[in-house]
Amino acid sequence: MRVIIANIIAIFRKELQGYFASPLAYIVAVIFWLIAGFFFVPSLLGPEGIIQSVAQRDQLGIPGPPIDVAYEFLRFFLGVLGSLVLFLLPILSMGLYAEERKRGTLELLATSPLTNWSVAVGKLLGVVTFFTFMLLPLIFYQAIAFSAADPPIKLAVPLVAHFGLILLAAAILSLGMFISSLTDSTILSAIMTFALCLFLWLIELVANVVSGGVGAVLNHISLLQHYNNLVQGIIDTSSIVMLASYIILGVCLTAISIEALRFQR
């Protein structure tokens, strides 16, 4: 077991160093921060933002239940980030194995003493850690905004919501890693992962308009539906299990894909 953990850590460190040395990864991070910032400030402080809307409602004396501004903002902003990662993360996952194929090192990896799943876990941990690094500035800005909330938001709510976001990202990256193991073209890998993310995004939309058993099934397999459950700050065990299942599915499919390559040699 020590050897396996040591192998996972070695692969994890190699992948993480690769991302922090990659100009493309920084470009993805900057685009992520710019788009997130574009929604963060206007949705909170803009003329149509939630603070201004609540103030106008109070001034006009419009009756209604009290609005928890911090909670509503968190739900909206994390909802935006959830949709955003569906379309940006394929760029991070596209090279996980496709680059190894292109450089001719995938065959060496497939025939090495390292188990395929430990390599996949190490690679996945590396890219998920880099994504968590991308979240840090946004968490910092949210902490500043929430520090002024009255009543204060419970710490568990944003913690669960961001945990859900990291689980969603890990699920997408895990599936993208499997797709990356099927081709030596990073562009094709990104397009196929993007198409898969688009499909998963559409499932959530279709599930909202379809009733009956079909709608229930679509809701159950929808990544975004389970993510939205966690964004509400509620620890939903079924949603955590479902998102974790997508992560495990991606790792297992990747290991099988590389194992198939080993038998071909």
Side-chain angles (χ1 to χ4, degrees), residues 5-184:
I5 294 176
N7 290 337
I8 291 175
I9 292 175
I11 296 293
F12 160 73
R13 292 179 62 181
K14 174 179 174 294
E15 286 298 320
L16 190 59
Q17 289 172 357
Y19 278 105
F20 278 106
S22 167
L24 179 61
Y26 283 108
I27 291 173
V28 172
V30 169
I31 293 174
F32 179 70
W33 291 330
L34 287 176
I35 298 177
F38 176 80
F39 284 97
F40 184 91
V41 176
S43 64
L44 185 64
L45 303 173
E48 304 294 330
I50 187 169
I51 292 179
Q52 190 65 25
S53 299
V54 173
Q56 289 177 351
R57 196 189 78 156
D58 292 342
Q59 289 175 355
L60 296 174
I62 299 175
I67 297 176
D68 188 333
V69 174
Y71 179 68
E72 293 300 325
F73 169 72
L74 179 70
R75 286 183 54 193
F76 170 79
F77 188 59
L78 268 290
V80 170
L81 294 185
S83 298
L84 184 57
V85 297
L86 288 178
F87 301 101
L88 278 181
L89 291 186
I91 303 175
L92 289 183
S93 68
M94 66 181 184
L96 280 170
Y97 278 93
E99 284 290 346
E100 302 273 4
R101 276 183 180 271
K102 189 183 296 183
R103 291 196 298 262
T105 55
L106 186 59
E107 288 79 1
L108 297 176
L109 204 60
T111 55
S112 72
L114 299 174
T115 58
N116 294 325
W117 70 267
S118 65
V119 175
V121 170
K123 283 179 172 289
L124 182 61
L125 286 176
V127 67
V128 170
T129 302
F130 184 79
F131 172 73
T132 305
F133 160 76
M134 289 167 55
L135 286 181
L136 292 180
L138 303 181
I139 293 174
F140 177 69
Y141 290 132
Q142 289 174 69
I144 293 175
F146 293 152
S147 66
D150 185 22
I153 190 169
K154 293 181 180 178
L155 180 60
V157 176
L159 285 180
V160 172
H162 285 85
F163 174 65
L165 179 59
I166 293 173
L167 275 183
L168 174 68
I172 296 169
L173 291 167
S174 183
L175 295 174
M177 178 173 67
F178 163 61
I179 293 174
S180 177
S181 71
L182 301 176
T183 175
D184 60 358

